[in-house]
Amino acid sequence: MPNTMQDKTLFETGSERWIRNTYILEVGAKSGQRGLKTGMLSNLQYKDGGRLQDGVGLLTSILTRYTEVGSVQYWREEHALKFKFMVNQAQDDTTLHELLKPALEIFHQLEGQRMRVFDIASRSEEGVSVITITRDVDSMSQREVGLIVELLKGAYKHHLIYDQIYLPQDEQIYQEEMITQMLSSIQTIDVKKNVVALREDDKVLVFKT
């Protein structure tokens, strides 16, 4: 976790803590649902003047497009992404592997690729199971992210814990395009920090460490 405020970029509904000249887009405006703001992330800058890394934009777009994802982390040492989901029933790693690994292996065979990093782990916290799926960036795609989400939604139905945020169809397509673009970008560059994006109430918090 960061030790200073300079290490934190905050995306907050109704917040005035946005960088000047940054385009803001309202995402989720239905009554009783959380609103989430995101923007043209390539135009965002840290307060210290540095360019916001594509890695940060990627994580934010993933959380914006797929509200089922509780948090997502870029793991620099393995050049991989860690996706966390929450379900309100007990899990075991074997069942999760049987659900996801065969489907993802077939997907990658069709794509002509091979997964370098694939890991699934679960742990219980106060009656909630936290599922962590780790995948290498090099063989990852936006379509695979969507496949993982749909597989978990199909398997756990009402047990998957997440906020249903309204996202217009054109915004869904836009975020998918951004995920594809930024995944392609970080596949070819060295992201020099570990980065994690998570939800907290009506906010998306992004930390670099």
Side-chain angles (χ1 to χ4, degrees):
M1 299 294 285
N3 295 319
T4 64
M5 287 300 293
Q6 283 78 11
D7 286 332
K8 181 170 70 175
T9 301
L10 175 62
F11 301 87
E12 179 179 6
T13 300
S15 173
E16 296 180 356
R17 283 176 280 183
W18 286 95
I19 308 302
R20 183 177 299 177
N21 298 327
T22 300
Y23 174 74
I24 305 298
L25 176 66
E26 182 74 29
V27 181
K30 281 190 175 181
S31 176
Q33 296 179 338
R34 294 182 188 175
L36 179 66
K37 287 188 177 181
T38 187
M40 300 295 289
L41 297 170
S42 60
N43 292 329
L44 279 172
Q45 293 183 333
Y46 289 120
K47 290 181 179 179
D48 63 5
R51 178 66 60 180
L52 182 65
Q53 297 173 353
D54 280 344
V56 175
L58 170 63
L59 303 192
T60 306
S61 283
I62 289 173
L63 289 187
T64 301
R65 173 61 184 88
Y66 302 105
T67 58
E68 299 86 356
V69 181
S71 71
V72 60
Q73 175 185 352
Y74 173 74
W75 183 16
R76 179 176 181 265
E77 289 75 12
E78 287 292 336
H79 197 44
L81 295 177
K82 292 186 175 185
F83 300 84
K84 292 186 185 293
F85 301 83
M86 294 185 293
V87 295
N88 59 5
Q89 66 179 29
Q91 301 300 314
D92 67 86
D93 295 352
T94 301
T95 300
L96 289 167
H97 270 273
E98 291 174 350
L99 168 67
L100 292 174
K101 191 171 184 179
L104 294 183
E105 286 179 340
I106 292 173
F107 174 83
H108 282 278
Q109 287 175 5
L110 294 173
E111 294 288 306
Q113 293 183 323
R114 180 177 176 274
M115 294 185 289
R116 177 178 58 84
V117 176
F118 175 79
D119 185 64
I120 300 175
S122 62
R123 71 178 190 277
S124 295
E125 296 181 358
E126 300 180 353
V128 174
S129 292
V130 179
I131 300 170
T132 303
I133 300 170
T134 306
R135 283 284 296 108
D136 65 275
V137 168
D138 293 329
S139 63
M140 194 87 192
S141 67
Q142 177 274 320
R143 292 175 59 206
E144 183 184 348
V145 179
L147 175 59
I148 291 171
V149 170
E150 290 304 316
L151 287 170
L152 290 175
K153 285 175 65 177
Y156 297 110
K157 296 182 172 64
H158 303 299
H159 295 287
L160 192 62
I161 302 172
Y162 65 99
D163 290 325
Q164 295 184 3
I165 299 174
Y166 172 69
L167 200 64
Q169 182 68 27
D170 59 345
E171 179 65 11
Q172 293 181 32
I173 294 171
Y174 170 76
Q175 293 298 339
E176 289 171 1
E177 291 173 348
M178 293 296 291
I179 292 169
T180 297
Q181 175 184 322
M182 288 183 283
L183 262 176
S184 176
S185 176
I186 70 169
Q187 284 169 352
T188 58
I189 64 172
D190 181 23
V191 179
K192 297 181 179 181
K193 296 285 186 178
N194 289 312
V195 185
V196 58
L198 53 89
R199 303 182 193 280
E200 182 180 284
D201 297 326
D202 59 351
K203 306 168 187 175
V204 172
L205 300 176
V206 182
F207 300 96
K208 59 175 184 172
T209 59

